[in-house]
Amino acid sequence: MTAQRAGRREWTALVVLLLPLLLVSMDVSVLYFAVPFISRDLHPTAAQQLWIFDIYGFVLSGLLLTMGALGDRIGRRRLLLLGAAAFGTASAAAAYAHNAETLIALRALLGVGGATLMPSTLALVRNLFPDERQRGTAVAVWSGTLTGGVALGPVLSGFLLNHFWWGSVFLVNLPAMALLLILAPLLVPEFKDSSPGHRFDLLGSALSLAATLPTVYGIKRIAADGFTAPPTLAIVAGLAFGAAFVQRQRTAEHPMVNPALFHRRGFGPAIALNAAAMFALAGFSVFSTQYLQLVLGKSALEAALWSLAPSALVGCAAPVATALSQRGVDRAYIVGGAFALAALGYATALGVTAGSGIWLVLLACGVVAAGIVMVMTQNTDLALSTVPPQGAGAASALLETGQEFGAALGTAVLGSLGAAVYRREVTDSAPAALPDGALHSVRQTLGNALTVADRLPSQARPALVHAARTAFVQGMHAAAIGALAVMLLASGFVLTRLRGLASAPSPAIPAEEPAIMPETAGVR
């Protein structure tokens, strides 16, 4: 039976769903420029400053699974609207926070709202577009919006902070959330499991939170501070809770995440491959953004604006991948080729030097981003197409949780690799006649090295700057080689193990036992 094709109402509803997605993805990076202004007004301690920045991502990643499953149960539109209300309220309050503790708490509430919005939007895309070809296009638009939001966050933040106070980076959320609360009930039908017949798995939800929060926290802290006891113990505790969560899902009568999802060929690999893509992208982005600022000397806002240039390639990549899939090209060849394209981008980055200018690094970043977006678009569509509609919320949450883990792990592993190479190279090449204790500071980061150089006599400064920037580029090359290896391994896996996974409709669901319940009340 041919799936019903979406019309103008569904495509308009997609535009409405992109509003919260754009804002949630922007909030990951919107504080890049605002932290110094917040520090000046609220005077947070060093630990509080870290929590202001990181708590949003911790809570978001920790609650994705719970919110995805909850949306399947109570209704995805309902959860979307509840999340939008919470996100808007927290944004308004955060703009006028008077101390660091309050801002941390409100950033956590923003994470709760974000965790409801992300899986709800993707699950609703699955429900609004039952036709395979249209869904592929809609998922490509969804993926492009998610990627674009992360890149747009620093630019918007820089613009607002040049004209207004730091609270404006939160208030910008309010018009979009208000528009969503008005339009979603009119344009987006409700979808939920028509007969869940069981209580929500509270124990599974608690275990998923206990597994995710300490693991992500530990990975991020190791990336920032190196291997120390607290983050290592946090990861061990998170893995232990993760094992308990998996056991709970395997043995519970009504699990929060149905293990049968992983029996569908392509679903598990799609999650793992998206995580691998984010591993490489996030791990290398740490270096590419610093290259623009610290090696080429761009201001933070200039670097953010230049980082939008690769979007030209990204904007073409997802539609090309979708068009190839709709023409019947085996999805394995598209995804495998996209991984190879990303690998080509990392290989291009190996040609970047401290004096090569801006265009080569932008080209490398553009090719990488184009390949990654093609991978994620195709894998997201594959994962959604292999699950029945009633499991779309949990499936969406699993995809997004995997991406969060991949990004955190990539930052830690590739960041640590590049930092180790930087320390080795700068130790060997730094001028011998440095003030006492200066070498220790120089070895920490390129930013520290440039600060030390500013304090040196003018005749000694160029040698340290050149040595530090060259060492940083060597570290960036090491991260690129690590990402390149991951991309080639992923490409080989896809091409050898996943051939034949052409786009296929979801398993048929008997008409007398509907899996989801579209509620049209309020939809005109």
Side-chain angles (χ1 to χ4, degrees):
M1 184 176 64
T2 304
Q4 180 181 356
R5 289 181 60 82
R8 182 180 302 173
R9 187 188 307 277
E10 286 77 15
W11 288 107
T12 306
L14 175 63
V15 175
V16 174
L17 293 177
L18 296 181
L19 288 173
L21 178 66
L22 182 65
L23 291 176
V24 170
S25 59
M26 281 171 47
D27 257 49
V28 173
S29 56
V30 76
L31 286 190
Y32 282 174
F33 295 162
V35 168
F37 297 87
I38 293 171
S39 298
R40 183 188 62 197
D41 287 353
L42 302 186
H43 308 292
T45 65
Q48 287 174 332
Q49 183 170 302
L50 286 174
W51 280 109
I52 289 171
F53 192 82
D54 286 340
I55 190 65
Y56 175 81
F58 290 159
V59 175
L60 176 70
S61 58
L63 288 177
L64 281 171
L65 282 175
T66 295
M67 294 305 180
L70 185 62
D72 288 342
R73 183 179 181 86
I74 71 170
R76 291 153 195 168
R77 187 184 69 181
R78 179 176 301 169
L79 185 65
L80 179 73
L81 294 176
L82 289 172
F87 200 87
T89 301
S91 296
Y96 298 98
H98 294 299
N99 55 62
E101 293 84 352
T102 301
L103 185 56
I104 291 169
L106 292 169
R107 283 280 288 170
L109 183 56
L110 281 169
V112 175
T116 69
L117 296 172
M118 290 184 68
S120 296
T121 57
L122 186 53
L124 285 167
V125 168
R126 170 68 177 88
N127 299 135
L128 288 169
F129 299 94
D131 178 76
E132 174 190 328
R133 294 171 64 90
Q134 289 185 320
R135 185 175 62 246
T137 301
V139 168
V141 173
W142 187 94
S143 300
T145 302
L146 180 64
T147 305
V150 176
L152 188 60
V155 177
L156 179 63
S157 175
F159 173 80
L160 291 173
L161 292 169
N162 279 343
H163 295 84
F164 308 101
W165 96 112
W166 60 263
S168 61
V169 303
F170 295 107
L171 290 182
V172 73
N173 296 332
L174 298 185
M177 288 302 163
L179 196 61
L180 175 67
L181 289 170
I182 294 169
L183 295 180
L186 301 176
L187 295 171
V188 180
E190 180 64 285
F191 294 94
K192 64 179 180 180
D193 192 336
S194 60
S195 54
H198 57 83
R199 294 181 178 180
F200 185 72
D201 185 9
L202 291 176
L203 178 58
S205 175
L207 288 173
S208 73
L209 187 63
T212 307
L213 279 179
T215 304
V216 173
Y217 167 79
I219 291 172
K220 282 181 173 287
R221 291 279 59 82
I222 287 174
D225 307 323
F227 284 95
T228 59
T232 303
L233 291 175
I235 293 176
V236 171
L239 293 177
F241 280 116
F245 172 75
V246 171
Q247 182 63 19
R248 168 70 180 177
Q249 302 312 293
R250 293 178 61 186
T251 58
E253 183 178 358
H254 300 291
M256 188 174 74
V257 177
N258 190 346
L261 289 175
F262 291 91
H263 298 160
R264 298 171 181 268
R265 184 173 179 240
F267 181 78
I271 294 176
L273 291 169
N274 269 12
M278 285 304 299
F279 173 95
L281 182 64
F284 184 72
S285 295
V286 172
F287 294 91
S288 60
T289 54
Q290 290 185 68
Y291 179 88
L292 294 177
Q293 291 181 255
L294 301 179
V295 176
L296 298 185
K298 305 295 181 184
S299 69
L301 182 56
E302 285 178 322
L305 289 169
W306 276 111
S307 68
L308 293 178
S311 300
L313 290 175
V314 173
C316 301
V320 168
T322 301
L324 291 173
S325 178
Q326 291 175 351
R327 289 179 178 273
V329 177
D330 192 317
R331 196 188 298 269
Y333 294 123
I334 301 173
V335 175
F339 273 121
L341 179 63
L344 177 62
Y346 290 119
T348 303
L350 295 178
V352 174
T353 68
S356 60
I358 196 169
W359 290 108
L360 186 59
V361 73
L362 290 180
L363 175 62
C365 290
V367 174
V368 165
I372 296 298
V373 166
M374 293 174 73
V375 166
M376 296 182 68
T377 298
Q378 289 299 297
N379 283 332
T380 300
D381 186 36
L382 171 62
L384 291 181
S385 69
T386 59
V387 301
Q390 72 268 28
S396 301
L398 282 168
L399 271 169
E400 289 153 5
T401 302
Q403 290 166 195
E404 290 286 335
F405 272 112
L409 193 61
T411 302
V413 173
L414 297 183
S416 298
L417 175 63
V421 171
Y422 167 79
R423 286 193 296 269
R424 185 194 67 199
E425 294 294 326
V426 80
T427 300
D428 293 341
S429 59
L434 288 177
D436 291 341
L439 182 59
H440 175 75
S441 181
V442 166
R443 293 179 73 250
Q444 300 307 307
T445 65
L446 175 57
N448 284 0
L450 297 180
T451 300
V452 170
D454 286 338
R455 299 170 183 163
L456 296 177
S458 58
Q459 65 272 19
R461 190 177 307 152
L464 178 58
V465 170
H466 175 75
R469 285 176 170 169
T470 301
F472 176 84
V473 171
Q474 293 299 316
M476 185 172 74
H477 288 171
I481 291 172
L484 172 63
V486 171
M487 295 297 92
L488 291 178
L489 288 173
S491 179
F493 172 80
V494 172
L495 293 174
T496 57
R497 301 292 298 275
L498 298 183
R499 283 180 295 178
L501 273 180
S503 298
S506 301
I509 300 170
E512 67 273 16
E513 297 180 7
I516 55 172
M517 181 168 61
E519 299 174 358
T520 57
V523 180
R524 296 177 173 83

